Amino acid sequence: MKRRKSFALTLTAAAVPAFGLCPSLGWAGALLGGAAAAWILNRTERALRGRSLAKAAACGAVGRAAAAVSALGLFGLALWAAGRSRLAFPETAGSPLAAALIFALSFWAARSGAEAVGRCAVVLLPLLAVLYGVILVFSLSQLRLSWLLPTGTPRAGLRACASLLLPGAALFLRREDGVSVSRGTAIAALAAAAAAAVTAGTLSPPGAAARAAFLTVSRSVSILGVIQRFEALISGAMLMSGFCLCTLLLLAARELLDSLAPKKSSAAVKTSAFAAGLIFLWLPTPETFRLTGVTAICGGVACAFLLFVVSKNKSQKNEENA
């Protein structure tokens, strides 16, 4: 995938944790957790040297096991992202059907390939930047500085770090040299800290802990006292962000499946996974999605470690032969 498309897809997907999850964690936790996520992804990128994490499947039985674990975790996270997207509109917050529709749309988009999804992200990114930017800028006049004192716990920072690692799924895709996922994550970390500060400064720290707090902030924003009621636009932005994140996670899982089995033979697996996903969306449990998140992170770390070890061994053999 070309640089511009990959960067746009990373940022649009990162809007979900930045504006949907991190506002309830406090600006300090969001900033520190986001910085940690960007550092982790930066170190991983350097170790990969432009390679895809999916290539770990070629590293023998251990590599194939790590790739399979990663694919399972990413698929579970895609289900979570689809379930999270239904919170964009209050009317669909408790509807499994809304989550199923988002998952089906993302699955169809992922079948079209990363290039097509990247083109979609390039179109959506400026729109999302304007919508979220309007809320951040025009909420500044409502801030109460006494509510902006650093709050939070180490657990909040860990949650922010874990959520902002989600765009790192792009490391499983084929990439051009120079595409930086960590740079997009660093920008998302700054956006998350700004969103958390605006939310806490407008609603108070306890109010920011409520579900969809940033959406609540958008209801009080007005431009010059004339243009008001931005919540419908922000709901649309959150829905688009959720679609991009779900699709990115499915693209990464598809890349792993293609590395584990030929494309023709993996078609049945993909179709079965889609059917299982639609059924599973009717019984969402937070514990299951936390488990899939840990699974995806552990699988990704294992893939990166294997590729690093194999690359190091090859370098040593080349030096010995020379």
Side-chain angles (χ1 to χ4, degrees), residues 26 59 72 92 103 128 130 178 262-263 269 294 303:
C59 300
L72 179 62
T92 62
F103 181 76
L128 296 179
V130 170
K263 292 185 178 181
V269 176
V294 172
C303 290

Side-chain angles (χ1 to χ4, degrees), residues 54 57-58 63-69 71 253-262 265-266:
R64 293 178 67 83
V69 168
R254 174 187 173 180
E255 193 73 24
L256 285 165
L257 286 176
D258 287 341
S259 66
L260 289 168
S265 63
S266 64

Side-chain angles (χ1 to χ4, degrees), residues 61-76:
V62 177
R64 293 178 67 83
V69 168
S70 300
L72 179 62
L74 290 167
F75 184 75

Side-chain angles (χ1 to χ4, degrees), residues 49-126:
R49 298 179 181 177
R51 294 171 297 176
S52 165
L53 278 174
K55 289 186 177 181
C59 300
V62 177
R64 293 178 67 83
V69 168
S70 300
L72 179 62
L74 290 167
F75 184 75
L77 287 175
L79 292 171
W80 169 83
R84 178 80 194 182
S85 298
R86 64 184 175 179
L87 301 178
F89 289 90
E91 295 80 5
T92 62
S95 172
L97 179 60
L101 289 174
I102 291 295
F103 181 76
L105 181 62
S106 297
F107 189 88
W108 177 80
R111 290 189 63 186
S112 301
E115 288 291 331
V117 178
R119 288 195 296 268
C120 178
V122 168
V123 174
L124 292 178
L125 181 58

Side-chain angles (χ1 to χ4, degrees), residues 222-245:
S222 64
I223 299 179
L224 303 177
V226 179
I227 305 176
Q228 300 178 342
R229 308 298 295 180
F230 282 92
E231 64 267 24
L233 295 176
I234 296 302
S235 291
M238 290 181 171
L239 188 63
M240 289 185 284
S241 304
F243 161 75
C244 288
L245 176 60

